Amino acid sequence: MQDAQPKDLPHRLYKQYRFQLSATTSSLNIPKLDVDTAVSAANFDLAHPIPRRFTQMIKTHGYAAQSATTPLALFDYEHREPGPKDVHIEIDFCGICHSDIHQARNEWGNAIYPMVPGHEILGTVKQVGAEVTKFKVGDLAAIGCMVDSCRICASCKAGEEQYCDNHATVFTYNSKDKQGNLTFGGYGTNIVADESFVLKVPTNLDPAAVAPLLCAGITTYSPLKHWNAGPGKKIGVVGLGGLGHMALKFSHAFGAHTVMFTTSPGKIEDAKKLGADEVVLTKEPNWHAAHAGTFDFILDCVSADHDINPYLALLKRDAVYCTVGVPETPISVHAFSVVAGRKSVTGSAIGGIKETQEMLDFCGKHNIVSDIEMTSFDKLDEAWTRVIKGDVKYRFVLDLKSLK
Amino acid sequence: MQDAQPKDLPHRLYKQYRFQLSATTSSLNIPKLDVDTAVSAANFDLAHPIPRRFTQMIKTHGYAAQSATTPLALFDYEHREPGPKDVHIEIDFCGICHSDIHQARNEWGNAIYPMVPGHEILGTVKQVGAEVTKFKVGDLAAIGCMVDSCRICASCKAGEEQYCDNHATVFTYNSKDKQGNLTFGGYGTNIVADESFVLKVPTNLDPAAVAPLLCAGITTYSPLKHWNAGPGKKIGVVGLGGLGHMALKFSHAFGAHTVMFTTSPGKIEDAKKLGADEVVLTKEPNWHAAHAGTFDFILDCVSADHDINPYLALLKRDAVYCTVGVPETPISVHAFSVVAGRKSVTGSAIGGIKETQEMLDFCGKHNIVSDIEMTSFDKLDEAWTRVIKGDVKYRFVLDLKSLK
């Protein structure tokens, strides 16, 4: 995706930054500064010879990968001093997502080290900038996979910042912010982000079990909503893991007839408890016959390679097969599988900030959280090993107390 | 697809046939017959010992494949005696479609021999049944890829008979009708079909050049319409052959900004004449950079294997890549290519009868026909060889006079 970034993006973003700063100073009714002076002033306290960034940054203690092959280890680093629109969160819980492992091990080829993973972040507001309106100190707050985006393209304006047309989404870790600083995620004690990318958390839910909603939750909520899961619809969910178990809960809560596809007879009972109306064991002979041409939408939550063509035969005309599992090797699609019935193979990435807030509010109203196993940093290796094996019901959550 | 056919389909269709016959006799206000007697009477003239089917069938002279490996050769056969709703057409022209070759050579694994190919059929009405309302003797008439379907499922009722939910579409050749008789296509002097599957032909167009509209035309018209090609939209067409040249004409006529993707510098001029606003040579280095994230829809008309992932990067968020070329080996889709931007890979098969008539009427209004090379049955081998090479501008049409 980096290749597709327009060559003039950094310049345009710099111009945008200058514009925002200029607008800010004028709205505060203070004498309008020369913008470049203001940019300098943001980094240095001119009255003192020591740059401010060395005195007021947020000291953070976390776990980082230093290379693709070494285990995560303790790492001390700093987050920026909260600006006027920033929220400083002391992190209480962080979910473990399979993508933490993919990225730390550079399996997606985009790793930047040191890397502090974690994008299912739940914590308590510690400081707020002068212009913050959504949060006050002591509030619960959450951060998902993004902390910024270009904010000016059609996708950002449509509330789909994860699909930023300028490819300028700033991810919560393994990414660079608009100033070129590396971002660090939830495997650490603190985080600082613009309130526009911080979510409010319903207070009636178990905060630890809310954390995985920030990735596993929105990743399944968004496509189910986008493709209209609801009463009268027959929805398939492939694979019962971190994503799949949330997909079952949402599809059921939306009122759709929900069918779980799994290879494991041992998961039948769980799937039904989680919201499946039917469970299809895909290792049974002729497992697909009874369901041919009957599904309105199938959400594939499997990250391992597998043949999707038998599932395409289960879709109705014009229906959609969506992957959120993102297998490493390309998906093989027989042309006839989509031509016959004008079916679509698509994918979906998390959800926009507005939709993530909608999802959290929905969860508060319907008492939906993730099924979790609590763990601690001293057991991180074991937890990652079990995530890779799919041996977790259904999401590990790191207790940040184990770092403090 | 045969595998997915519900086991009870033949019985259901038989029941439907009985029901229709029963309804017909009552609407004609004649004494209601026992339905099974009527079914027998339809096949045999009870007053004579010789079954009617041996005396009143439509003798036809054509070219058939007798196996996957032998060249097509002269073949005499019969079409059914026209029933009350049937139209008997004397064929004047038949387009040569690449799928004729695929099927005759059993490259799709579904061949039934003897096979008389041809589903781009244009002719003159010779006889009509008593209940035919749309045609009279002497009219121009056309038949495309289908001659019947279940007519009762949701897709058939929606006018999408090509996607018949009961997999009961009867194709014009290499298929069996509801009575179990093999269907024979346009490489012969006559055809008989129910008027519901026969199209009216605008009289202001060159009839020979209309023939390819029945497959190449509707195959490109339908997806362009379905995915809203029109003013303000940027539409890509991949591959300039029989399908691609029609896609350019339609996309241009719909008012879309139309971009041709081709590997051949020699096709630039033609593409522009056919309706392309821009031509992108996909063998140039970095050919896709200027178009990243800008397309609303791309129609892939290439039947050879090729990498579609670079084209997916050209789509806007939520945009669609549709294959009508149906390459033999599976399409390889990188999950990130669809996840980033929630893009879809889909396919489309011809179009329904109602939409095919709409397409023909649109062509009449906008003076659109296929660019053709006329040929004759004595040059069939050469024509097929050139179709396989893509060496035709842009569709061969057989003149049936060469058989008479």
Side-chain angles (χ1 to χ4, degrees):
Chain A
M1 282 201 298
Q2 291 296 328
D3 290 343
Q5 182 168 328
K7 280 180 191 165
D8 63 335
L9 182 64
H11 181 62
R12 272 200 279 135
L13 283 176
Y14 178 67
K15 283 199 294 185
Q16 182 209 354
Y17 180 67
R18 282 169 55 107
F19 171 78
Q20 283 178 335
L21 192 60
S22 178
T24 301
T25 55
S26 72
S27 71
L28 287 174
N29 220 6
I30 55 176
K32 200 173 177 213
L33 297 171
D34 167 73
V35 170
D36 285 321
T37 308
V39 169
S40 298
N43 286 322
F44 300 98
D45 179 345
L46 298 176
H48 297 84
I50 303 166
R52 237 156 68 168
R53 54 186 296 273
F54 290 107
T55 59
Q56 301 186 21
M57 304 282 277
I58 307 296
K59 287 186 188 301
T60 306
H61 188 54
Y63 262 67
Q66 297 288 349
S67 80
T69 52
T70 48
L72 267 64
L74 278 171
F75 175 58
D76 287 314
Y77 55 101
E78 292 174 324
H79 283 286
R80 69 172 178 261
E81 176 195 353
K85 298 197 170 188
D86 280 345
V87 179
H88 163 202
I89 298 167
E90 202 172 74
I91 300 177
D92 298 316
F93 303 104
C94 184
I96 296 178
C97 176
H98 203 142
S99 62
D100 297 344
I101 306 170
H102 286 305
Q103 292 184 82
R105 297 185 175 173
N106 199 19
E107 288 165 1
W108 292 348
N110 66 339
I112 318 173
Y113 301 101
M115 186 192 303
V116 178
H119 56 206
E120 297 183 338
I121 296 171
L122 196 293
T124 308
V125 174
K126 191 83 177 170
Q127 295 181 66
V128 294
E131 295 169 25
V132 167
T133 59
K134 277 165 54 185
F135 297 94
K136 61 180 194 305
V137 173
D139 280 354
L140 281 180
I143 289 178
C145 299
M146 306 180 282
V147 288
D148 208 347
S149 71
C150 93
R151 308 193 192 196
I152 52 172
C153 71
S155 292
C156 287
K157 287 190 169 172
E160 306 273 17
E161 302 90 351
Q162 74 280 25
Y163 302 131
C164 174
D165 301 338
N166 288 319
H167 302 276
T169 308
V170 179
F171 295 100
T172 303
Y173 68 88
N174 193 31
S175 189
K176 287 188 175 171
D177 66 19
K178 285 173 184 166
Q179 288 70 46
N181 298 314
L182 196 51
T183 57
F184 295 116
Y187 289 23
T189 49
N190 296 286
I191 192 163
V192 174
D194 186 300
E195 70 165 336
S196 306
F197 284 76
V198 182
L199 290 308
K200 296 177 75 69
V201 178
T203 52
N204 61 317
L205 302 174
D206 170 13
V210 166
L213 300 179
L214 277 297
C215 176
I218 187 62
T219 298
T220 49
Y221 179 94
S222 179
L224 286 165
K225 284 289 278 188
H226 186 76
W227 282 285
N228 304 311
K233 297 293 177 71
K234 185 173 173 183
I235 305 293
V237 175
V238 186
L240 180 48
L243 293 171
H245 98 287
M246 289 309 311
L248 289 179
K249 291 185 184 206
F250 286 129
S251 179
H252 177 73
F254 294 159
H257 182 85
T258 304
V259 180
M260 174 87 240
F261 295 99
T262 177
T263 53
S264 313
K267 289 185 175 173
I268 294 175
E269 205 177 320
D270 259 22
K272 289 191 170 173
K273 278 186 201 155
L274 290 162
D277 297 292
E278 292 182 63
V279 180
V280 176
L281 289 173
T282 57
K283 286 195 169 168
E284 297 281 319
N286 217 16
W287 58 271
H288 54 297
H291 294 278
T294 61
F295 278 84
D296 293 284
F297 179 68
I298 297 177
L299 188 64
D300 187 336
C301 301
V302 177
S303 60
D305 299 333
H306 59 291
D307 183 8
I308 74 163
N309 293 283
Y311 294 99
L312 297 178
L314 306 192
L315 295 173
K316 290 180 182 172
R317 169 172 54 91
D318 290 321
V320 171
Y321 192 89
C322 176
T323 178
V324 289
V326 193
E328 272 179 75
T329 57
I331 301 166
S332 180
V333 180
H334 294 288
F336 273 120
S337 299
V338 286
V339 164
R342 199 165 49 193
K343 297 163 183 177
S344 294
V345 174
T346 184
S348 178
I350 49 172
I353 294 297
K354 187 180 164 199
E355 194 176 43
T356 306
Q357 189 61 64
E358 173 192 307
M359 179 269 305
L360 286 168
D361 296 345
F362 181 88
C363 287
K365 195 171 165 192
H366 294 267
N367 266 301
I368 293 174
V369 289
S370 174
D371 286 16
I372 60 167
E373 292 189 39
M374 291 300 299
T375 190
S376 52
F377 282 91
D378 56 325
K379 293 178 186 156
L380 185 59
D381 281 350
E382 181 196 327
W384 275 25
T385 304
R386 285 182 52 200
V387 167
I388 292 164
K389 282 186 196 162
D391 173 26
V392 49
K393 287 186 173 182
Y394 280 93
R395 206 72 162 176
F396 278 116
V397 173
L398 287 160
D399 188 340
L400 267 288
K401 279 194 212 83
S402 62
L403 255 189
K404 290 171 188 170
Chain B
M1 286 200 295
Q2 291 296 329
D3 291 342
Q5 181 168 328
K7 281 182 189 161
D8 64 339
L9 181 64
H11 181 62
R12 273 199 278 136
L13 283 176
Y14 178 67
K15 282 200 296 185
Q16 181 210 355
Y17 180 65
R18 281 169 56 107
F19 171 77
Q20 284 179 333
L21 192 61
S22 178
T24 302
T25 54
S26 72
S27 72
L28 288 174
N29 221 6
I30 56 174
K32 199 172 177 215
L33 295 172
D34 168 73
V35 170
D36 286 321
T37 307
V39 169
S40 298
N43 285 322
F44 297 98
D45 179 343
L46 298 176
H48 297 84
I50 302 165
R52 238 154 70 171
R53 57 189 292 274
F54 291 106
T55 57
Q56 303 187 22
M57 305 282 278
I58 307 296
K59 287 187 189 299
T60 306
H61 188 54
Y63 263 67
Q66 298 288 347
S67 80
T69 52
T70 49
L72 267 62
L74 278 170
F75 175 59
D76 287 314
Y77 54 101
E78 291 173 325
H79 282 286
R80 68 171 178 261
E81 175 194 352
K85 298 195 169 189
D86 281 344
V87 179
H88 164 203
I89 298 167
E90 201 170 75
I91 300 176
D92 298 315
F93 303 105
C94 183
I96 296 178
C97 177
H98 203 142
S99 61
D100 298 345
I101 305 170
H102 285 306
Q103 291 184 82
R105 296 184 176 174
N106 199 20
E107 288 163 0
W108 291 349
N110 66 340
I112 317 172
Y113 301 101
M115 186 191 305
V116 178
H119 56 207
E120 296 182 338
I121 297 169
L122 196 294
T124 308
V125 174
K126 192 80 178 170
Q127 296 181 65
V128 293
E131 293 167 27
V132 167
T133 59
K134 277 163 56 185
F135 297 94
K136 60 180 195 304
V137 173
D139 281 353
L140 280 180
I143 290 178
C145 299
M146 305 180 282
V147 288
D148 207 348
S149 71
C150 92
R151 308 194 192 194
I152 52 170
C153 71
S155 292
C156 287
K157 286 189 170 172
E160 305 275 17
E161 303 88 351
Q162 76 279 26
Y163 301 131
C164 175
D165 301 337
N166 288 319
H167 302 276
T169 308
V170 179
F171 295 99
T172 303
Y173 69 88
N174 192 33
S175 190
K176 286 188 176 172
D177 67 18
K178 285 174 184 163
Q179 287 70 49
N181 297 316
L182 196 50
T183 58
F184 296 116
Y187 289 22
T189 49
N190 297 285
I191 192 163
V192 174
D194 185 302
E195 71 164 335
S196 305
F197 284 75
V198 181
L199 290 308
K200 294 177 76 72
V201 178
T203 52
N204 60 317
L205 303 173
D206 170 12
V210 166
L213 300 179
L214 278 297
C215 176
I218 186 63
T219 297
T220 51
Y221 179 94
S222 179
L224 287 165
K225 285 288 277 189
H226 186 77
W227 282 285
N228 304 311
K233 298 293 177 73
K234 185 172 173 183
I235 305 293
V237 175
V238 186
L240 181 47
L243 293 170
H245 98 289
M246 288 309 310
L248 289 179
K249 291 185 183 205
F250 286 130
S251 180
H252 177 75
F254 294 160
H257 182 83
T258 304
V259 181
M260 174 88 241
F261 296 98
T262 176
T263 54
S264 312
K267 290 185 174 174
I268 295 175
E269 205 178 319
D270 259 22
K272 289 190 170 173
K273 278 187 203 156
L274 290 162
D277 297 291
E278 293 181 62
V279 180
V280 175
L281 288 173
T282 56
K283 285 194 170 168
E284 296 282 318
N286 217 16
W287 58 270
H288 55 297
H291 294 278
T294 61
F295 278 84
D296 294 285
F297 180 68
I298 297 178
L299 189 64
D300 186 336
C301 302
V302 177
S303 60
D305 298 333
H306 59 293
D307 183 8
I308 73 162
N309 293 282
Y311 293 99
L312 297 179
L314 306 190
L315 295 173
K316 290 181 182 171
R317 169 172 53 91
D318 290 321
V320 171
Y321 191 88
C322 176
T323 177
V324 289
V326 193
E328 272 179 73
T329 57
I331 301 166
S332 181
V333 180
H334 294 289
F336 273 119
S337 299
V338 288
V339 164
R342 201 164 47 193
K343 297 163 182 175
S344 294
V345 174
T346 184
S348 178
I350 49 175
I353 293 299
K354 187 180 163 195
E355 193 176 44
T356 305
Q357 188 61 63
E358 173 192 307
M359 180 270 304
L360 286 169
D361 296 344
F362 181 89
C363 288
K365 195 170 166 191
H366 294 266
N367 266 301
I368 293 173
V369 289
S370 175
D371 285 16
I372 61 168
E373 292 189 39
M374 290 299 300
T375 190
S376 51
F377 281 91
D378 56 324
K379 294 178 185 158
L380 186 59
D381 281 350
E382 181 196 328
W384 274 24
T385 303
R386 285 182 54 200
V387 167
I388 293 165
K389 282 186 197 161
D391 173 27
V392 49
K393 285 186 175 183
Y394 280 93
R395 206 71 163 177
F396 278 116
V397 173
L398 288 159
D399 188 341
L400 268 287
K401 279 193 213 81
S402 62
L403 255 188
K404 290 170 191 171

